[in-house]
């Protein structure tokens, strides 16, 4: 089981259930200890979603997490863990759509970074997020909290072979761009059309095989003394520029 503790994560998970976005609702239980205003609002939303509500003591929640706010949502799996579709299914729905954004995550290991990237993807209308590794259950609450609940809505799919998925995207007309300090400035790159942004791991960047799949590398102009940006910060900046160009 997965336990979500932040108000945002719980609310967004319940909203996704209510709209039929998140199918993982059969075994969901809202554990409710304190009757504060925000907790009561969440309990009412759970009732609307036909989610079971169980009154418990604060000490019961303490056994689950030391970082709760008097309320915890117990679910079988966190939203987005299994993905909502395959890459092939996604491509089949594109039709004649000219502009599209896909993000590929190559071994993003820090759950805080993962969650922050998901939040940026939600804000900038990313159509699909592809990752190699399933997020482990022990990190699900961190990801949900770091994404401010956006993971509940994330169009996320896990695949066994990122290289194959990238080749499928290329065949569907996507240009593949890797985020890398050695790349061309995002200000100089045309980013309209079908764009796939590849983000590498915190320590090693984009792996060699995936780098060879790229049509180009993108960098963020900077004037700082530190040699690079955090990957989640970089993701937000590059996604903003892609969305700005595609919306103009």
């Amino acid at each position: 089981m997965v336990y979500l503790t932040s108000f945002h994560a719980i609310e967004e998970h319940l909203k996704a259930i209510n709209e039929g976005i998140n199918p993982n609702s059969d075994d969901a239980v809202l554990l409710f200890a304190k009757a504060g205003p925000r907790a009561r609002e969440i309990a009412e939303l759970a009732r609307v979603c036909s989610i079971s509500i169980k009154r418990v003591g604060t000490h019961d929640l303490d056994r689950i997490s030391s970082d709760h706010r008097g309320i915890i949502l117990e679910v079988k799996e966190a939203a987005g863990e299994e993905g909502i579709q395959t890459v092939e299914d996604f491509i089949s729905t594109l039709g004649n759509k000219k502009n599209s954004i896909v993000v590929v995550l190559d071994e993003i290991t820090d759950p805080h970074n993962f969650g922050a990237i998901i939040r940026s993807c939600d804000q900038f209308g990313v159509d699909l997020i592809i990752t190699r590794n399933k997020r482990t259950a022990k990190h699900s609450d961190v990801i949900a909290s770091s994404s401010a609940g956006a993971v509940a809505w994330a169009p996320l799919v896990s695949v066994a072979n990122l290289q194959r998925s990238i080749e499928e995207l290329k065949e569907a007309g996507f240009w593949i761009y890797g985020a890398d300090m050695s790349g061309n400035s995002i200000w100089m790159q045309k980013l309209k059309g079908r764009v796939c942004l590849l983000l590498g791991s915190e320590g090693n960047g984009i792996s060699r095989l995936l780098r060879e799949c790229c049509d180009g590398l993108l960098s963020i102009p900077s004037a700082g003394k530190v040699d690079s940006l955090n990957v989640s910060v970089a993701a937000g900046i590059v996604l903003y520029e892609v969305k700005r160009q595609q919306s103009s």
Side-chain angles (χ1 to χ4, degrees), residues 149-166:
V151 70
W153 307 94
L156 176 66
V157 60
S158 297
V159 300
N161 190 318
L162 287 179
Q163 188 174 1
R164 182 180 300 124
S165 295
I166 288 173

Side-chain angles (χ1 to χ4, degrees), residues 9-10 14 18 28-29 37 54 79 82 94 98 104-105 107 118 126-127 130 139 160 162 180 189 195 205 208 217 234:
I10 295 172
L14 292 175
N18 195 39
V29 179
K54 183 178 180 181
E82 289 296 330
L94 283 172
K98 292 183 178 179
V104 175
L105 304 181
E107 305 291 355
I118 295 298
V126 169
D127 298 303
I130 305 173
H139 289 153
L162 287 179
D180 189 272
Q189 181 66 54
V195 172
R208 180 184 60 80
L217 298 176

Side-chain angles (χ1 to χ4, degrees), residues 229-243:
L229 291 167
N230 174 281
V231 64
S232 63
V233 175
I237 294 171
V238 177
L239 286 173
Y240 171 83
E241 179 62 17
V242 175
K243 192 66 175 180

Side-chain angles (χ1 to χ4, degrees), residues 90 94-103 124-128 169-170 172-177 189-197 215 218 238-239 241-248:
F90 165 73
L94 283 172
N96 295 323
K97 186 176 181 180
K98 292 183 178 179
N99 289 325
S100 182
I101 308 174
V102 172
V103 170
F124 296 115
V126 169
D127 298 303
L128 187 68
L169 291 171
K170 280 189 172 185
F174 280 83
W175 290 87
I176 314 300
Y177 296 106
Q189 181 66 54
K190 180 181 177 182
L191 297 170
K192 290 187 176 183
R194 296 182 176 183
V195 172
C196 172
L197 175 62
D215 296 303
L218 301 177
V238 177
L239 286 173
E241 179 62 17
V242 175
K243 192 66 175 180
R244 185 192 69 80
Q245 291 192 29
Q246 294 192 353
S247 299
S248 63

